[in-house]
Amino acid sequence: TERQREVILAHICAENALIQTKLERRYPALGSEIHSCRQIDQVFDVTVQVLSTANPGLRRIKSEVGQNGVSIISLSTVIGRY
């Protein structure tokens, strides 16, 4: 179905954003950034938020993907100091 296709493509964008943060090999600064992600014929808005946790050695990274102002999927992970 079209919805399933949209969710799969958005999931790829969300995973790529989290992987990119991990590959930077630095402790991420708090804050958020927005960029676009193109998959096949779809363009998605990706918001990556870096949030603090109760443990100062860990940061929560949240990747939310949407289209036309509607959220499609959200993934999170935790990154520690290297």
Side-chain angles (χ1 to χ4, degrees), residues 13-69:
C13 289
E15 279 190 345
N16 285 347
L18 295 178
I19 291 167
Q20 179 62 41
T21 303
K22 288 180 179 182
L23 289 175
E24 289 176 358
R25 294 276 192 202
R26 62 177 175 80
Y27 197 55
L30 297 175
S32 64
E33 61 181 39
I34 299 172
H35 64 273
S36 62
C37 174
R38 182 175 200 76
Q39 294 293 328
I40 306 177
D41 61 342
Q42 302 281 316
V43 178
F44 299 95
D45 300 315
V46 181
T47 302
V48 178
Q49 292 180 297
V50 180
L51 308 162
S52 62
T53 65
N55 181 337
L58 297 174
R59 295 273 164 91
R60 180 173 176 239
I61 314 300
K62 180 181 175 187
S63 176
E64 186 167 359
V65 180
Q67 197 173 45
N68 301 321

